[in-house]
Amino acid sequence: MNLIDDLNYRGLIQQYSNEESVKELLSHKTAIYCGFDPSAGSMHLGNYVMISLLKRFQLAGHKVIAVVGGATGMIGDPSGKSAERNLQTKETLEKNTASIKAQLERYIDLTDPEKGAIVSNYDWLGHMQTIDFLRDYGKYFSINYMLSKEIVKSRLEAGISFTEFSYQILQSIDFYHLHHEFGVSMQIGGNDQWGNLTSGLELIRKIDGEGEKVECMTAKLLLRSDGKKFGKSEKGALFLDPKLTSPYALYQYFMNVTDEDAIRFLKVFSFLPKEEIEDVARDHFANPGARIGQKKVAYEVTKDIHGEEAAKEAIAMTEALFKGDVASLKESEIEEVFDVKTPIREGTALEDALIALKLASSKREARTFVSGNSVLLNGEKATDPKLALGKGNALYGRYFILRRGKKNYALGEIEE
């Protein structure tokens, strides 16, 4: 299967500037770039779709350039925004740019300059003079052309500043610069970037001639089967920084997706070949209760983003909770699994702890749960509702993991 057919099988392509020309460019080694916004200190799972696309191109033998928007991040991309962004300080953007670069280095092969590079557009935009910007580039963009872009039209009623209005010109300069500096002939981006990407083609062809071989391609905006934006959890974005979203939390996200999404996301995120994905899908739908698809996509995504050791640890943590073997969890793993801790005073009775942790609504109910053998304390069956909780019977001298029934877990921590 060729690269384009593989990307289509995975549901990754939304639009081409010219499908036949894109296929022609990809029929031999070419240079491809994608931009990444440093508006935050970490990228999220939505960004990883584009990172994985760059990796697929690189594995197919193409050169890839990841551009961090050290300069354009100071302006703010209006794409997908209903209101003006708050402008970041230069110091914040420098810090974010360095952080995003470090994340990209984990996924893109930089062992050979002919394979890939990571650059910041501040290098060529940061010191550009206003007059040069207007004379050398602004003159190629008519107001009518810029107003026709959906990213601008969608903001006209609410209002858009000249600062954000000029963003598409700056991104076009990126494409022009990379075309001449690195031989880049194709830009990829999310489908909400279509207007910015095609503006880049417009600039290059107006300056270099209509026959210039440059194209662009967008990836589909991924949605879950319930229509909600992909990559969002109840607590927000799923970040690539393990300090913001732990490998365990990432693993659990995919363990809890629907059957249909499990296979769809396996296509989008994993680097497994079509044949293996089809085998997983067949086995999964033959026995949905075994959650084969969820287990596979959770492992593959966690492994590719955080490494095999982190993925195996997430599996071990999941199995420990499923089996009730919570005493085997490391102290750091307990912190990772339970993001909510309820303070428990030394000497608190088990029945009162169950109420404090919202596992029971009254002492009577708590005693009923205990006598019914449905309460586990640190993985052991609890038999005495009056048991005093203290450092002596706490995990690591501080934690109480209580389980009521099969799935209702809560974490208590001895008050200092």
Side-chain angles (χ1 to χ4, degrees):
M1 185 186 300
N2 64 43
L3 179 58
I4 290 294
D5 288 343
D6 182 61
L7 296 180
N8 279 318
Y9 164 72
R10 295 174 186 276
L12 285 170
I13 301 176
Q14 180 73 48
Q15 297 186 80
Y16 304 93
S17 51
N18 183 306
E19 184 173 355
E20 292 307 313
S21 295
V22 167
K23 289 179 177 178
E24 169 59 28
L25 283 175
L26 294 176
S27 66
H28 54 272
K29 182 177 180 178
T30 191
I32 301 154
Y33 101 91
C34 182
F36 297 90
D37 181 12
S39 57
S42 173
M43 292 181 288
H44 53 73
L45 207 54
N47 301 127
Y48 188 71
V49 175
M50 302 313 303
I51 295 172
S52 67
L53 265 175
L54 286 182
K55 287 181 67 177
R56 295 181 203 282
F57 283 117
Q58 192 171 56
L59 290 170
H62 301 290
K63 180 177 180 178
V64 299
I65 311 292
V67 178
V68 184
T72 46
M74 293 183 174
I75 302 302
D77 183 0
S79 302
K81 300 296 179 183
S82 58
E84 194 88 5
R85 289 176 183 240
N86 293 322
L87 297 180
Q88 303 262 17
T89 65
K90 183 177 179 181
E91 292 72 25
T92 298
L93 279 165
E94 287 177 347
K95 183 178 179 180
N96 289 352
T97 297
S99 178
I100 299 302
K101 276 187 171 182
Q103 286 187 340
L104 287 165
E105 287 171 358
R106 289 161 40 195
Y107 308 115
I108 296 174
D109 185 354
L110 303 175
T111 56
D112 183 340
E114 286 306 307
K115 288 184 177 181
I118 301 171
V119 296
S120 169
N121 61 14
Y122 190 84
D123 293 344
W124 56 88
L125 292 177
H127 306 288
M128 183 179 292
Q129 299 293 316
T130 304
I131 296 300
D132 293 336
F133 169 75
L134 294 172
R135 285 178 57 86
D136 296 343
Y137 304 105
K139 66 181 179 179
Y140 291 106
F141 291 85
S142 72
I143 295 298
N144 289 343
Y145 175 81
M146 296 177 72
L147 288 174
S148 71
K149 298 295 183 181
E150 185 60 35
I151 53 176
V152 174
K153 285 196 299 183
S154 63
R155 286 281 300 279
L156 290 179
E157 187 173 337
I160 184 170
S161 69
F162 176 76
T163 299
E164 286 196 344
F165 184 63
S166 65
Y167 185 93
Q168 63 178 287
I169 299 179
L170 293 174
Q171 187 166 327
S172 299
I173 296 171
D174 285 348
F175 199 171
Y176 177 80
H177 174 85
L178 294 166
H179 180 56
H180 286 267
E181 185 72 18
F182 293 96
V184 170
S185 58
M186 189 164 75
Q187 181 182 182
I188 60 173
N191 200 52
D192 59 347
Q193 291 289 309
W194 180 249
N196 291 330
L197 271 61
T198 52
S199 293
L201 298 180
E202 180 85 359
L203 177 63
I204 292 172
R205 287 168 178 165
K206 281 189 173 180
I207 296 178
D208 296 338
E210 286 296 327
E212 201 69 11
K213 293 184 178 181
V214 286
E215 300 295 343
C216 63
M217 184 178 77
T218 63
K220 291 180 180 179
L221 175 64
L222 291 178
L223 300 175
R224 301 186 315 205
S225 57
D226 60 7
K228 294 181 181 179
K229 280 188 177 182
F230 176 80
K232 295 289 182 180
S233 69
E234 292 179 358
K235 297 174 184 175
L238 293 164
F239 292 100
L240 303 187
D241 184 341
K243 295 178 181 178
L244 298 176
T245 300
S246 69
Y248 172 79
L250 180 65
Y251 184 88
Q252 287 302 312
Y253 177 86
F254 284 99
M255 279 295 293
N256 289 291
V257 299
T258 65
D259 294 331
E260 291 74 16
D261 280 349
I263 303 306
R264 186 159 63 94
F265 295 156
L266 195 59
K267 294 178 182 179
V268 169
F269 289 106
S270 85
F271 288 82
L272 300 177
K274 177 182 177 180
E275 295 75 17
E276 188 170 348
I277 293 173
E278 294 301 310
D279 287 343
V280 171
R282 184 186 63 251
D283 294 343
H284 173 81
F285 288 110
N287 184 14
R291 303 181 69 77
I292 295 170
Q294 284 90 345
K295 291 177 182 177
K296 191 65 173 178
V297 70
Y299 171 75
E300 290 295 327
V301 176
T302 306
K303 170 179 66 69
D304 289 345
I305 291 179
H306 295 297
E308 187 173 11
E309 183 177 341
K312 288 181 177 179
E313 189 173 84
I315 292 173
M317 291 162 68
T318 301
E319 291 179 347
L321 286 177
F322 180 76
K323 297 175 181 177
D325 185 25
V326 295
S328 67
L329 293 173
K330 302 173 187 174
E331 188 171 1
S332 60
E333 291 174 343
I334 293 173
E335 293 274 359
E336 198 171 322
V337 171
F338 299 96
D339 53 359
V340 175
K341 294 178 290 186
T342 300
I344 300 292
R345 288 183 180 179
E346 179 95 20
T348 297
L350 174 61
E351 60 186 2
D352 293 322
L354 286 168
I355 296 170
L357 294 172
K358 296 181 170 50
L359 294 176
S361 59
S362 66
K363 288 190 177 184
R364 181 178 179 179
E365 188 177 52
R367 288 193 291 268
T368 299
F369 288 144
V370 173
S371 63
N373 296 319
S374 63
V375 175
L376 294 181
L377 170 62
N378 295 335
E380 299 292 334
K381 187 178 294 183
T383 58
D384 181 6
K386 298 294 185 182
L387 175 69
L389 304 183
K391 292 181 180 179
N393 53 10
L395 292 176
Y396 302 101
R398 59 188 293 201
Y399 295 123
F400 301 103
I401 301 175
L402 285 168
R403 189 181 92 178
R404 192 203 75 216
K406 293 184 177 180
K407 296 183 178 179
N408 300 302
Y409 275 100
L411 178 66
E413 182 181 24
I414 292 179
E415 286 183 329
E416 293 295 333

